[in-house]
Amino acid sequence: MKRIVIFSDTHGNIHPCLRVLPGLGEISMVIHLGDTVTDCEELRGFYPQIPFVSVKGNNDWFSPQPTITETEFEGVKLLCTHGHSVSRTELLTMAKESGCAFVLFGHTHRSLLTETDGITFFNPGSISRPRDGQASYGVIEIENGIAKGAIIPC
């Protein structure tokens, strides 16, 4: 089984990430969905053996990271964005056109895991500044080509 860990909206506080990562076993990839992408670089320093993917958010003004990117892992395509610059309808269209199974986004600091037209929309919430009363992050586990997402409260 392969495991992708997803963080968003850490806003300069990676301590909660550093608390949960060691307990997750083998991690295949970490995705950071912006606000603040320099947190992703700092986390990468603690885990140089793990591939990291990041996009910039609305508070990452000078970041060279893209606002939207696609990544593929174990045959599962993921559309990654912070979510502040494009509508959900546009994201659905982009995901369908590129064959993405998941749209990963943040920005709201509220977790969400739902499916629309066969595309899973996944917001891990915020591990450091939740707006829905529960700090959280996301995990996608892939086994035998089947991907399942989960929001993990912490």
Side-chain angles (χ1 to χ4, degrees):
M1 176 179 55
K2 303 295 184 181
R3 182 175 293 121
I4 301 170
V5 178
I6 307 145
F7 296 116
S8 187
D9 298 287
T10 49
H11 290 278
N13 183 5
I14 66 164
H15 299 294
C17 303
L18 293 173
R19 278 196 305 274
V20 300
L21 285 170
L24 295 176
E26 188 174 331
I27 299 168
S28 305
M29 177 184 284
V30 174
I31 298 174
H32 191 286
L33 299 171
D35 282 355
T36 304
V37 294
T38 54
D39 295 347
C40 183
E41 294 306 315
E42 193 172 348
L43 285 170
R44 187 184 315 226
F46 286 96
Y47 295 94
Q49 74 282 9
I50 300 173
F52 279 74
V53 173
S54 62
V55 292
K56 67 180 171 184
N58 58 301
N59 288 304
D60 295 314
W61 304 289
F62 302 110
S63 171
Q65 296 298 318
T67 56
I68 299 174
T69 193
E70 290 178 20
T71 191
E72 185 171 343
F73 193 80
E74 294 287 309
V76 177
K77 290 182 79 174
L78 311 166
L79 181 65
C80 306
T81 186
H82 183 62
H84 67 288
S85 63
V86 65
S87 73
R88 192 162 160 172
T89 301
E90 291 170 306
L91 289 170
L92 180 61
T93 299
M94 291 168 65
K96 284 181 175 181
E97 288 175 353
S98 60
C100 290
F102 284 81
V103 172
L104 307 178
F105 66 101
H107 186 57
T108 66
H109 298 230
R110 299 174 193 278
S111 58
L112 174 74
L113 183 58
T114 189
E115 189 175 309
T116 302
D117 291 345
I119 309 293
T120 301
F121 280 78
F122 192 169
N123 184 329
S126 174
I127 196 166
S128 62
R129 291 187 180 180
R131 291 185 183 150
D132 55 3
Q134 179 66 60
S136 60
Y137 61 96
V139 171
I140 295 174
E141 292 182 340
I142 304 170
E143 189 165 21
N144 299 322
I146 298 172
K148 294 182 182 176
I151 294 166
I152 312 297
C154 52

